[in-house]
Amino acid sequence: MINPITEENRLTQLRQARKNNPGAAETDRIPQQHSQISSFEAGLMLVVALIFDGIQAITKLLHFIPIIGNTMAIMINWLVDIFAWLTFYVWLKSKGMKARKGSFLIEKAQWVLGIGLLIEIIPLLSALPAWTAAIIIIIFKERSKKVLRYATNY
């Protein structure tokens, strides 16, 4: 239970401090900069990327079915690629690809996802787990920015 007298004193002190320093009200609303991808979400992104790459690895088996299998494998892989790119694009956009200027998510993540899509579309390179690699790169770069900010107190 909150003591109303103590709470009222705290509010009075806060109002007095804001009256003495009018700019303090604006600085109270500035969000703290931290990693935009939590550990849980990073793991979830990695699992989703592995699922996309796994689906594509399984569809590679369709190439053993003559004529129809090749066509189906190519079409399914391209649909999975487009869906994977859209999934991660929307996911990262919701995490703040546009939130902070100077953030890795606005500068590089779009390029990493684009390169992942390009690798998956090229027939011989599509055997590589490009979505998993792209997400690992994005997570690593975002985490390295967090560690760098913490180490330098920036």
Side-chain angles (χ1 to χ4, degrees), residues 128-147:
L128 299 172
W131 292 120
T132 304
I135 294 304
I136 288 172
I137 291 169
I138 289 170
I139 291 168
F140 177 75
K141 292 297 278 184
E142 181 64 19
R143 293 298 170 124
S144 67
K145 296 273 184 179
K146 178 182 176 183
V147 170

Side-chain angles (χ1 to χ4, degrees), residues 63-108:
H63 285 291
F64 292 114
I65 302 171
I67 302 169
I68 297 172
N70 288 333
T71 306
M72 286 177 52
I74 291 170
M75 290 176 65
I76 291 171
N77 276 334
W78 280 29
L79 288 174
V80 170
D81 288 333
I82 292 169
F83 187 72
W85 182 83
L86 284 172
T87 300
F88 290 122
Y89 179 80
V90 169
W91 199 340
L92 291 172
K93 195 76 161 171
S94 72
K95 293 305 293 176
M97 283 175 75
K98 63 184 182 346
R100 299 188 314 234
K101 188 169 185 168
S103 169
F104 172 77
L105 288 179
I106 190 172
E107 296 171 353
K108 308 288 185 209

Side-chain angles (χ1 to χ4, degrees), residues 110-124:
Q110 294 166 337
W111 287 101
V112 173
L113 287 177
I115 291 170
L117 180 63
L118 184 66
I119 289 172
E120 288 290 349
I121 289 176
I122 297 172
L124 292 176

Side-chain angles (χ1 to χ4, degrees), residues 8-18:
E8 187 175 319
N9 288 340
R10 191 180 74 75
L11 286 173
T12 305
Q13 290 173 352
L14 183 62
R15 284 186 193 120
Q16 186 64 31
R18 285 188 176 165

